[in-house]
mmCIF file of all heavy atoms in Angstrom:
data_model
loop_
_atom_site.group_PDB
_atom_site.id
_atom_site.type_symbol
_atom_site.label_atom_id
_atom_site.label_comp_id
_atom_site.label_asym_id
_atom_site.label_seq_id
_atom_site.Cartn_x
_atom_site.Cartn_y
_atom_site.Cartn_z
ATOM 1 N N TYR A 108 3.726 31.918 15.638
ATOM 2 C CA TYR A 108 2.586 32.553 14.983
ATOM 3 C C TYR A 108 2.130 31.787 13.742
ATOM 4 O O TYR A 108 1.051 32.028 13.215
ATOM 5 C CB TYR A 108 2.959 33.981 14.548
ATOM 6 C CG TYR A 108 3.616 34.787 15.638
ATOM 7 C CD1 TYR A 108 4.983 35.031 15.639
ATOM 8 C CD2 TYR A 108 2.865 35.281 16.702
ATOM 9 C CE1 TYR A 108 5.589 35.758 16.644
ATOM 10 C CE2 TYR A 108 3.467 36.008 17.718
ATOM 11 C CZ TYR A 108 4.828 36.246 17.686
ATOM 12 O OH TYR A 108 5.417 36.948 18.698
ATOM 13 N N GLU A 117 -0.162 20.231 15.127
ATOM 14 C CA GLU A 117 -1.416 19.501 15.373
ATOM 15 C C GLU A 117 -1.256 18.034 14.971
ATOM 16 O O GLU A 117 -1.672 17.130 15.703
ATOM 17 C CB GLU A 117 -2.577 20.144 14.601
ATOM 18 C CG GLU A 117 -3.912 19.430 14.760
ATOM 19 C CD GLU A 117 -4.399 19.352 16.205
ATOM 20 O OE1 GLU A 117 -4.118 20.282 16.980
ATOM 21 O OE2 GLU A 117 -5.039 18.349 16.564
ATOM 22 N N GLU A 184 15.968 26.846 17.327
ATOM 23 C CA GLU A 184 15.324 28.136 17.065
ATOM 24 C C GLU A 184 16.248 29.269 17.493
ATOM 25 O O GLU A 184 16.721 29.280 18.637
ATOM 26 C CB GLU A 184 14.111 28.210 17.994
ATOM 27 C CG GLU A 184 12.798 28.423 17.364
ATOM 28 C CD GLU A 184 11.743 28.569 18.448
ATOM 29 O OE1 GLU A 184 11.584 29.697 18.960
ATOM 30 O OE2 GLU A 184 11.104 27.559 18.778
ATOM 31 N N GLN A 188 13.371 38.883 17.974
ATOM 32 C CA GLN A 188 12.255 39.731 18.404
ATOM 33 C C GLN A 188 11.619 40.409 17.206
ATOM 34 O O GLN A 188 12.282 40.667 16.205
ATOM 35 C CB GLN A 188 12.780 40.839 19.339
ATOM 36 C CG GLN A 188 13.091 40.365 20.722
ATOM 37 C CD GLN A 188 12.342 41.162 21.761
ATOM 38 O OE1 GLN A 188 12.532 42.359 21.902
ATOM 39 N NE2 GLN A 188 11.464 40.484 22.486
ATOM 40 N N PHE A 239 5.344 21.770 25.571
ATOM 41 C CA PHE A 239 5.962 23.087 25.779
ATOM 42 C C PHE A 239 6.666 23.211 27.127
ATOM 43 O O PHE A 239 7.189 24.274 27.460
ATOM 44 C CB PHE A 239 4.907 24.194 25.682
ATOM 45 C CG PHE A 239 4.345 24.418 24.303
ATOM 46 C CD1 PHE A 239 3.344 25.374 24.109
ATOM 47 C CD2 PHE A 239 4.809 23.723 23.208
ATOM 48 C CE1 PHE A 239 2.805 25.606 22.845
ATOM 49 C CE2 PHE A 239 4.285 23.945 21.934
ATOM 50 C CZ PHE A 239 3.280 24.896 21.756
ATOM 51 N N TYR B 108 -3.674 25.387 22.221
ATOM 52 C CA TYR B 108 -4.816 26.086 21.616
ATOM 53 C C TYR B 108 -5.205 27.344 22.378
ATOM 54 O O TYR B 108 -5.958 28.169 21.893
ATOM 55 C CB TYR B 108 -6.029 25.137 21.587
ATOM 56 C CG TYR B 108 -5.716 23.776 21.039
ATOM 57 C CD1 TYR B 108 -5.605 22.662 21.858
ATOM 58 C CD2 TYR B 108 -5.495 23.607 19.671
ATOM 59 C CE1 TYR B 108 -5.296 21.411 21.347
ATOM 60 C CE2 TYR B 108 -5.172 22.360 19.154
ATOM 61 C CZ TYR B 108 -5.083 21.261 19.998
ATOM 62 O OH TYR B 108 -4.765 20.037 19.481
ATOM 63 N N GLU B 117 3.364 35.284 24.468
ATOM 64 C CA GLU B 117 3.760 36.499 23.758
ATOM 65 C C GLU B 117 4.560 37.413 24.685
ATOM 66 O O GLU B 117 5.600 37.961 24.301
ATOM 67 C CB GLU B 117 2.529 37.237 23.218
ATOM 68 C CG GLU B 117 2.839 38.535 22.488
ATOM 69 C CD GLU B 117 3.759 38.346 21.279
ATOM 70 O OE1 GLU B 117 3.663 37.296 20.617
ATOM 71 O OE2 GLU B 117 4.573 39.246 21.006
ATOM 72 N N VAL B 120 8.075 36.238 25.143
ATOM 73 C CA VAL B 120 8.909 36.525 23.975
ATOM 74 C C VAL B 120 9.348 37.992 23.978
ATOM 75 O O VAL B 120 10.439 38.340 23.525
ATOM 76 C CB VAL B 120 8.150 36.187 22.672
ATOM 77 C CG1 VAL B 120 8.881 36.704 21.455
ATOM 78 C CG2 VAL B 120 7.949 34.681 22.549
ATOM 79 N N GLU B 184 3.761 19.116 31.391
ATOM 80 C CA GLU B 184 2.538 18.897 30.619
ATOM 81 C C GLU B 184 2.228 17.408 30.525
ATOM 82 O O GLU B 184 3.100 16.628 30.127
ATOM 83 C CB GLU B 184 2.841 19.353 29.191
ATOM 84 C CG GLU B 184 1.976 20.402 28.621
ATOM 85 C CD GLU B 184 2.356 20.639 27.167
ATOM 86 O OE1 GLU B 184 1.884 19.894 26.284
ATOM 87 O OE2 GLU B 184 3.158 21.564 26.934
ATOM 88 N N GLN B 188 -4.877 13.559 24.549
ATOM 89 C CA GLN B 188 -5.433 13.670 23.197
ATOM 90 C C GLN B 188 -6.854 14.191 23.253
ATOM 91 O O GLN B 188 -7.567 13.979 24.230
ATOM 92 C CB GLN B 188 -5.480 12.282 22.558
ATOM 93 C CG GLN B 188 -4.160 11.776 22.058
ATOM 94 C CD GLN B 188 -4.194 11.444 20.590
ATOM 95 O OE1 GLN B 188 -4.909 10.566 20.160
ATOM 96 N NE2 GLN B 188 -3.428 12.193 19.813
ATOM 97 N N PHE B 239 10.515 26.409 21.041
ATOM 98 C CA PHE B 239 9.873 25.109 20.807
ATOM 99 C C PHE B 239 10.858 24.014 20.375
ATOM 100 O O PHE B 239 10.463 22.895 20.096
ATOM 101 C CB PHE B 239 8.796 25.237 19.716
ATOM 102 C CG PHE B 239 7.584 26.039 20.115
ATOM 103 C CD1 PHE B 239 6.557 26.259 19.199
ATOM 104 C CD2 PHE B 239 7.443 26.545 21.393
ATOM 105 C CE1 PHE B 239 5.421 26.976 19.541
ATOM 106 C CE2 PHE B 239 6.307 27.269 21.760
ATOM 107 C CZ PHE B 239 5.296 27.488 20.831
#
Side-chain angles (χ1 to χ4, degrees):
Chain A
Y108 311 104
E117 178 59 33
E184 237 184 84
Q188 284 236 297
F239 291 178
Chain B
Y108 312 106
E117 179 59 34
V120 170
E184 237 185 84
Q188 283 238 297
F239 291 178

